[in-house]
Amino acid sequence: HKELTLLHFVLLWVEEADLQALCDPHVLDCINRARLATSYLVFQDIITALEGFRNVENLVSTGKYRGQVIPRHTVTTDGEPDLFHSGMENFVARAGQEAKELWS
């Protein structure tokens, strides 16, 4: 049982001359380059996100984010505990394995 998509139904209504034009090697090459460009953009977005994650990992391990020291506070100025660093530690602990799998 193969699932049908909207593309299947559209192809049923396309004129044969238009369908032949879509099968032209130049058109197929353009479609393939567009698909690869999209894949490349997705790849770049993933790399950017992973580099950001590495910056957060570095913050957790060194207290520095992109070379700037982010001081750890035990209590904020309004008397509330500073949850930033512990929140970042929890995030790295939860997401670290998935990030490692993406890098490999």
Side-chain angles (χ1 to χ4, degrees), residues 48-63:
T48 300
L50 288 172
E51 287 171 349
F53 184 79
R54 283 211 169 150
N55 287 330
V56 174
E57 278 184 315
N58 191 48
L59 167 69
V60 168
S61 64
T62 67

Side-chain angles (χ1 to χ4, degrees), residues 28-44:
L28 291 174
D29 183 54
C30 289
I31 291 170
N32 191 41
R33 281 187 285 133
R35 181 183 57 82
L36 290 174
T38 301
S39 296
Y40 178 76
L41 292 175
V42 170
F43 174 77
Q44 286 299 95

Side-chain angles (χ1 to χ4, degrees), residues 5-52:
T5 66
L6 181 60
L7 175 63
H8 293 100
F9 292 105
V10 169
L11 290 175
L12 288 173
W13 292 100
V14 172
E15 297 289 329
E16 186 174 345
D18 294 332
L19 188 57
Q20 291 302 322
L22 286 173
C23 293
D24 179 83
H26 175 70
V27 173
L28 291 174
D29 183 54
C30 289
I31 291 170
N32 191 41
R33 281 187 285 133
R35 181 183 57 82
L36 290 174
T38 301
S39 296
Y40 178 76
L41 292 175
V42 170
F43 174 77
Q44 286 299 95
D45 288 346
I46 290 171
I47 294 299
T48 300
L50 288 172
E51 287 171 349

Side-chain angles (χ1 to χ4, degrees), residues 19 29 75 85 102:
L19 188 57
D29 183 54
V75 178
H85 281 274
L102 286 172

Side-chain angles (χ1 to χ4, degrees), residues 42-96:
V42 170
F43 174 77
Q44 286 299 95
D45 288 346
I46 290 171
I47 294 299
T48 300
L50 288 172
E51 287 171 349
F53 184 79
R54 283 211 169 150
N55 287 330
V56 174
E57 278 184 315
N58 191 48
L59 167 69
V60 168
S61 64
T62 67
K64 293 181 181 179
Y65 183 78
R66 295 178 147 185
Q68 183 176 353
V69 174
I70 308 295
R72 187 179 279 272
H73 301 283
T74 54
V75 178
T76 61
T77 54
D78 60 357
E80 295 294 319
D82 181 5
L83 301 176
F84 176 74
H85 281 274
S86 62
M88 293 297 102
E89 289 168 358
N90 290 336
F91 171 69
V92 168
R94 282 192 326 270

